[in-house]
Amino acid sequence: MKKDKILVIGACGQIGVELTLALRKMYGDANVLASDLREEHDLLKGTGPYVTLDVMNKEQLHVLVIRHNITQIYLLAAILSATGEKNPLLAWHINMQSLLNVLDIAKEESIDKIYWPSSIAVFGPNSPKETTPQHTIIEPTTIYGISKYAGERWCEYYNHRYGLDVRSLRYPGLISYKSAPGGGTTDYAIEIFHEALEEQKYTCFLKESTYLPMMYMPDAIRATIELMEADKSRISVRSSYNLGGMSFSPKEIAAEIKKHIPEFTISYKPDYRQQIADSWPQSIDDQLARDDWGWKPEYYLEKMTVDMLKNLPETLQK
């Protein structure tokens, strides 16, 4: 029986660290090769093999895939929404070319499975705001959203044209106590916990009533693995699945934190990220993911807040 050898590209990012650790638990430490441009993340040190990799260097990537007999690739490297707006051409180049390099090598080497994350950023101001459906008007207005939507089309194309087993999820905003924010518009929902614990106050860059779809990282990691472990016959969406968790506003998360830290205060100073947030959905319809491979979130606002405030102090001390 063939043993899977997994390559995680962008393993030191917000999703990458926790996904790599989860995959190593499942497949064995030696069978999950972590890679990133950056120095190895502290949480990954000593847990398995690590290489420095520039995914934009196609030849280097190709050699790595052959040398390590890679059978699955998780491509997580990307420039996120808020960072992308500062340098749109660079964001487009990195987000697109990295995916095309991986898809092309996967086709050539007959890789079993590819995972590539999309985002709620693919939706734009003309998409329905509440319970945004899987198939709807998609007219993104950020370079991040544009690159993700183009990437979805490429994933679907490689599946239909070459039979490549590419799978994808449209992540909502992701919240974690283990890794720092990565330059996204939903980062406030991580920053607010850090500031609440350290300063007992926070200035939010979004308006108090801005509802956005969010997800606690354990749910996001579980959803990713459940999608990748599902039988191929159950995957009906080859662009990217809608994925829902919870929806809340800065005002609501602040009120929840205040239950645990009564002296906590919040103020609001919306910046350029408000316009990005206003173009995104407020809640997501993920019925297809539920029907196809049994997706169901476990965390809601109250449960997540308790877990964040319990675990984050330990992370901050390190």
Side-chain angles (χ1 to χ4, degrees):
M1 198 172 147
K2 187 172 71 166
K3 207 164 198 178
D4 276 295
K5 290 296 290 280
I6 298 170
L7 172 64
V8 181
I9 302 168
C12 295
Q14 191 193 12
I15 303 165
V17 172
E18 296 185 50
L19 185 58
T20 300
L21 293 171
L23 289 168
R24 283 177 173 167
K25 201 174 276 188
M26 285 178 65
Y27 286 91
D29 295 347
N31 297 316
V32 180
L33 177 62
S35 69
D36 207 302
L37 256 182
R38 296 174 266 187
E39 192 183 324
E40 187 176 13
H41 194 284
D42 285 347
L43 290 173
L44 294 179
K45 285 177 182 173
T47 67
Y50 184 84
V51 293
T52 303
L53 171 72
D54 180 1
V55 69
M56 303 299 280
N57 185 331
K58 191 177 178 184
E59 192 178 339
Q60 184 194 13
L61 175 61
H62 203 157
V63 168
L64 193 72
V65 167
I66 294 168
R67 186 177 290 158
H68 291 270
N69 301 308
I70 298 298
T71 61
Q72 292 186 37
I73 300 175
Y74 287 71
L75 171 59
L76 307 172
I79 291 182
L80 302 186
S81 57
T83 308
E85 291 307 295
K86 293 171 186 172
N87 196 336
L89 291 180
L90 179 69
W92 170 262
H93 178 58
I94 288 175
N95 292 355
M96 277 291 87
Q97 198 56 52
S98 60
L99 175 60
L100 291 172
N101 286 352
V102 167
L103 290 174
D104 211 38
I105 291 166
K107 171 175 73 86
E108 206 171 315
E109 300 303 329
S110 302
I111 299 294
D112 291 346
K113 280 188 264 191
I114 302 292
Y115 179 77
W116 174 82
S118 189
S119 163
I120 58 163
V122 297
F123 300 112
N126 296 321
S127 308
K129 285 280 183 241
E130 293 181 21
T131 55
T132 307
Q134 177 72 42
H135 303 290
T136 187
I137 295 167
I138 293 186
E139 295 172 352
T141 52
T142 63
I143 196 64
Y144 179 61
I146 291 166
S147 67
K148 285 297 185 187
Y149 186 47
E152 287 187 10
R153 307 266 55 84
W154 276 113
C155 289
E156 194 170 62
Y157 179 81
Y158 267 77
N159 174 258
H160 289 166
R161 178 83 195 269
Y162 305 112
L164 198 63
D165 188 355
V166 194
R167 305 183 185 196
S168 178
L169 296 170
R170 288 173 179 158
Y171 287 128
L174 298 178
I175 302 167
S176 167
Y177 63 84
K178 287 186 183 174
S179 46
T185 301
T186 54
D187 280 356
Y188 90 85
I190 305 173
E191 290 173 3
I192 194 170
F193 284 103
H194 285 253
E195 296 297 313
L197 286 166
E198 293 179 321
E199 307 291 337
Q200 286 80 54
K201 62 180 181 181
Y202 177 60
T203 302
C204 186
F205 55 75
L206 297 179
K207 292 175 188 171
E208 64 173 27
S209 57
T210 307
Y211 275 86
L212 287 169
M214 298 283 189
M215 181 168 285
Y216 197 34
M217 190 63 82
D219 271 348
I221 300 302
R222 186 170 55 82
T224 306
I225 290 171
E226 284 178 4
L227 171 71
M228 288 297 277
E229 292 295 308
D231 191 85
K232 197 189 289 191
S233 63
R234 295 172 68 187
I235 309 299
S236 70
V237 176
R238 288 298 182 170
S239 51
S240 192
Y241 276 98
N242 272 9
L243 189 70
M246 56 187 119
S247 288
F248 55 77
S249 66
K251 186 179 179 180
E252 287 179 347
I253 193 172
E256 202 55 44
I257 290 170
K258 206 169 167 60
K259 289 178 188 176
H260 304 272
I261 306 173
E263 61 274 29
F264 175 67
T265 60
I266 187 168
S267 55
Y268 301 92
K269 197 176 176 183
D271 64 14
Y272 68 98
R273 287 168 283 194
Q274 183 64 50
Q275 196 175 353
I276 298 173
D278 288 343
S279 73
W280 288 354
Q282 294 178 359
S283 58
I284 296 292
D285 175 2
D286 60 3
Q287 196 59 48
L288 263 175
R290 291 168 185 261
D291 292 345
D292 284 5
W293 42 276
W295 165 243
K296 192 181 178 191
E298 285 180 7
Y299 285 88
Y300 46 90
L301 179 56
E302 295 83 356
K303 188 178 177 182
M304 177 195 72
T305 302
V306 168
D307 202 62
M308 280 289 285
L309 292 174
K310 180 181 139 195
N311 290 292
L312 187 56
E314 196 180 315
T315 307
L316 292 171
Q317 284 166 16
K318 288 177 181 174

